[in-house]
Amino acid sequence: MISPEEYKLMRPGTGSRTPEAYFLVKVHKTDQPVRPIISSYNSYSYNTAKHLATLLKPAISKCPPYVKDSFDFARIIKENNKLPGLMCSLDVFALFTNVPLDEAIDTAIKKIKLLHPKLTIDDKNLRELFYYCTNRTNFIFNNEHYDQINGVSMGSPLAPILAHLYMNELEENIINFTGKKPSVFYRYVDDIFMIFHGTQREIELFVKFMNNIEPTIKFTLEIQKENKLPFLDVMIERNNMELITCVYRKPTDTGLYLRWKSNQPRNCKINLIKCLCTRAKRIYSSDYLFKQELEYYKSIFITNGYPINVMKKTIRSIELSITKKKSIQNTQKIFISVPYYGECSLALANKIRKIIQNPTVNVTFGFKAGNRISSLFRRTFRETNDNKRIVYGYSCYDCKGYYIGQTARGAEVRKEEHKNVFNGKGYSKIAEHCLNNKHRNNWSADILTIESNDLKRNIKESLLMDLYSKKKDKQVYSQKKSFVLNVF
């Protein structure tokens, strides 16, 4: 049925996890709707979905209305800047969750058979693989397990390709529309750009036809305002019967970028400037508008703390590189990942470059961040009755006293040990506090954090002791002699 190579590509990885659902708020839209995402990386079906996506990927570029990205769209507009008509865009409401799964899988199987005629997997088993990656997906949300029964989930490598291929199949019905059709029609997944040489009434009739093709797929219409229309981070404007393109920034844009004083490699900050300037050059349709954008970047990066001389030098190098033709050389590319620890990491990278010093070898360094304090407090999903490997707290009824401790055995076990001290067995800071001050302890434990690693649990205990002492106005006491964070 499948070759050993295909099996290795599709089999679940060791230690695969259950996908987790979360939501991203669309802050640029009214009422702040959310975008559901099911993170499937390293899940049991991830490798299978990735392999199926690889088989389907060549079919995307073969779709006539296909737009690769913002740069591809800007290029198309520049090449057709004399087209007359009314600009408008269509957006599919919640495309991923409303894709008719069976129809999308039928389309995908046809495309795979057409692109890979030597594939040994038959249609029946191919369909089973698609179901395994879609409507048989189990995921976790808010510590509860759910099954996905329809649609495709954003967060899977297969989802955007299935959605795109289904939309292409749906668009083939446009030929059956008897009214006025758009003279320009381009689509990026669920966003469609059109130019209509007709009236607004004719556009509305076309949208009505599109909304009646499939009950679950509904389009919303946006028509140009003041001869302007945003699409894929590109603002298209009609000026003197000519279409011009420029960079579009959403109303929620604050101009906040990576600060110059942030603990990041210097070349990352320089490359951020280069990236934005190069992006602007590829999108803008005139040099005059591009130079205006460069002035905007100068002011915005100075606001983010970038030195003026660095800004001028970097932007100048971008302007020179645009006109300069790069010579093509056969060089070997080597990528080295290095943890970033400030200047010492940069010095190490420079020393390695000097040691190699070979014109045929291009060494690129990628600096990765080390462990952060936030990673110590990452949420862990566990059973509600599992209170092992925790940092816990007890409060005093009669004062601001607050005991903080950690245990790998469980809160109930430690509670019994603390109580036994009142009967003369062992030693406990809680008993010492209550007996010396004639106070009463609240034996309802607060689970402050969960951590299975012993070293990290000790670190968290010290950090929480300091937090409750300074920020929450508690008289913290513990089995520890000191709050000092000393783990080495």
Side-chain angles (χ1 to χ4, degrees):
M1 287 172 57
I2 61 173
S3 65
E5 290 76 17
E6 289 173 325
Y7 169 74
K8 289 178 182 179
L9 289 171
M10 289 190 286
R11 70 183 295 271
T14 305
S16 298
R17 66 181 183 88
T18 303
E20 298 176 12
Y22 63 96
F23 298 90
L24 294 178
V25 180
K26 300 179 182 179
V27 295
H28 61 286
K29 293 190 176 182
T30 55
D31 300 327
Q32 279 77 53
V34 295
R35 177 183 287 113
I37 296 177
I38 299 177
S39 175
S40 64
Y41 181 74
N42 201 28
S43 66
Y44 54 85
S45 61
Y46 181 78
N47 289 339
T48 305
K50 190 176 180 181
H51 181 64
L52 293 174
T54 303
L55 294 176
L56 282 170
K57 196 171 182 180
I60 297 177
S61 58
K62 296 181 184 296
C63 300
Y66 169 70
V67 173
K68 183 180 179 182
D69 50 29
S70 301
F71 306 129
D72 188 31
F73 176 70
R75 177 191 59 80
I76 292 170
I77 298 299
K78 290 175 188 177
E79 293 174 355
N80 302 275
N81 61 351
K82 301 293 185 181
L83 287 173
L86 197 64
M87 295 184 295
C88 54
S89 65
L90 296 179
D91 180 37
V92 184
F93 177 76
L95 171 63
F96 283 73
T97 53
N98 287 310
V99 168
L101 198 55
D102 288 328
E103 290 91 329
I105 290 175
D106 288 340
T107 302
I109 291 174
K110 291 177 187 176
K111 296 292 183 183
I112 288 178
K113 290 298 182 180
L114 184 65
L115 292 167
H116 309 279
K118 296 182 180 180
L119 192 70
T120 56
I121 309 175
D122 57 33
D123 290 7
K124 180 181 177 181
N125 286 290
L126 202 55
R127 184 178 297 276
E128 285 297 310
L129 289 175
F130 275 107
Y131 282 143
Y132 172 65
C133 299
T134 52
N135 68 347
R136 293 177 190 164
T137 298
N138 172 270
F139 62 90
I140 295 174
F141 176 70
N142 200 23
N143 219 17
E144 296 285 342
H145 287 263
Y146 297 88
D147 288 329
Q148 182 174 340
I149 58 175
N150 198 22
V152 292
S153 58
M154 192 176 292
S156 167
L158 191 58
I161 298 178
L162 281 179
H164 177 87
L165 293 176
Y166 174 76
M167 285 297 298
N168 184 68
E169 195 83 1
L170 183 141
E171 288 159 0
E172 291 181 358
N173 290 280
I174 294 176
I175 195 171
N176 299 323
F177 181 58
T178 56
K180 194 80 150 181
K181 298 182 181 69
S183 56
V184 172
F185 189 97
Y186 289 104
R187 179 177 52 80
Y188 179 81
V189 189
D190 61 344
D191 294 317
I192 298 171
F193 175 81
M194 303 184 299
I195 294 181
F196 244 98
H197 196 61
T199 64
Q200 187 167 332
R201 172 63 180 163
E202 289 172 325
I203 296 174
E204 291 171 353
L205 289 174
F206 176 77
V207 176
K208 185 179 180 180
F209 168 80
M210 295 290 287
N211 281 330
N212 290 332
I213 296 175
E214 171 61 46
T216 61
I217 303 297
K218 298 300 177 184
F219 297 86
T220 57
L221 173 67
E222 181 180 358
I223 300 177
Q224 66 179 47
K225 294 179 181 178
E226 298 178 352
N227 290 327
K228 295 180 181 180
L229 183 72
F231 185 79
L232 290 186
D233 295 334
V234 179
M235 176 64 79
I236 312 101
E237 180 179 357
R238 190 178 296 281
N239 187 9
N240 296 327
M241 303 304 294
E242 182 178 339
L243 296 177
I244 60 174
T245 56
C246 56
V247 173
Y248 172 68
R249 282 180 284 273
K250 291 183 173 66
T252 51
D253 178 64
T254 60
L256 180 63
Y257 291 100
L258 182 67
R259 302 283 296 183
W260 181 258
K261 291 185 178 180
S262 63
N263 185 35
Q264 301 292 335
R266 177 188 169 94
N267 65 325
C268 288
K269 300 163 189 173
I270 300 297
N271 287 337
L272 173 61
I273 303 171
K274 291 181 178 179
C275 175
L276 289 173
C277 293
T278 305
R279 170 175 172 262
K281 180 61 182 176
R282 295 180 67 181
I283 289 177
Y284 275 92
S285 55
S286 73
D287 292 335
Y288 173 74
L289 294 173
F290 172 61
K291 289 179 180 179
Q292 283 187 328
E293 185 73 4
L294 292 183
E295 292 301 319
Y296 167 78
Y297 286 139
K298 286 178 184 178
S299 63
I300 211 70
F301 276 106
I302 289 171
T303 305
N304 282 274
Y306 284 62
I308 296 175
N309 62 321
V310 172
M311 278 296 308
K312 290 182 177 179
K313 183 179 179 181
T314 306
I315 291 179
R316 180 59 180 163
S317 68
I318 291 294
E319 291 174 329
L320 292 173
S321 64
I322 290 171
T323 56
K324 184 179 177 182
K325 291 184 179 180
K326 294 183 178 179
S327 58
I328 301 173
Q329 294 180 345
N330 293 324
T331 58
Q332 180 186 1
K333 294 182 179 180
I334 300 175
F335 180 81
I336 302 175
S337 179
V338 179
Y340 184 68
Y341 296 112
E343 293 297 326
C344 59
S345 298
L346 299 175
L348 175 64
N350 289 331
K351 286 182 179 179
I352 294 174
R353 286 193 186 97
K354 288 180 181 179
I355 291 171
I356 296 176
Q357 282 187 338
N358 191 331
T360 61
V361 178
N362 181 18
V363 182
T364 303
F365 286 88
F367 297 100
K368 58 183 179 181
N371 291 331
R372 302 171 182 172
I373 291 179
S374 61
S375 66
L376 299 176
F377 294 88
R378 189 173 299 158
R379 183 176 178 183
T380 304
F381 291 102
R382 310 198 311 175
E383 297 294 331
T384 54
N385 60 351
D386 183 4
N387 58 6
K388 296 180 181 179
R389 301 176 295 279
I390 59 170
V391 179
Y392 62 95
Y394 285 115
S395 58
C396 179
Y397 274 126
D398 303 302
C399 70
K400 292 183 178 181
Y402 195 78
Y403 175 84
I404 293 180
Q406 62 89 14
T407 178
R409 294 174 294 161
E412 293 300 318
V413 176
R414 286 297 292 138
K415 181 168 74 172
E416 291 303 316
E417 291 176 348
H418 285 301
K419 284 185 174 181
N420 287 337
V421 179
F422 288 88
N423 299 322
K425 298 178 182 178
Y427 172 76
S428 166
K429 276 286 185 179
I430 296 178
E432 182 182 281
H433 173 83
C434 291
L435 294 172
N436 290 344
N437 299 289
K438 296 182 180 180
H439 287 180
R440 298 164 298 159
N441 189 63
N442 178 6
W443 291 108
S444 178
D446 300 324
I447 308 300
L448 303 181
T449 187
I450 299 168
E451 180 53 66
S452 57
N453 183 281
D454 293 339
L455 175 60
K456 291 182 179 180
R457 195 166 58 249
N458 274 291
I459 294 172
K460 291 182 180 183
E461 182 187 20
S462 295
L463 292 172
L464 286 165
M465 289 168 65
D466 186 61
L467 172 68
Y468 273 75
S469 175
K470 293 180 179 178
K471 298 291 179 67
K472 299 202 174 184
D473 194 27
K474 296 287 187 180
Q475 297 173 4
V476 177
Y477 55 97
S478 175
Q479 301 291 103
K480 282 189 171 185
K481 296 180 180 180
S482 171
F483 294 180
V484 176
L485 187 62
N486 185 10
V487 295
F488 299 104

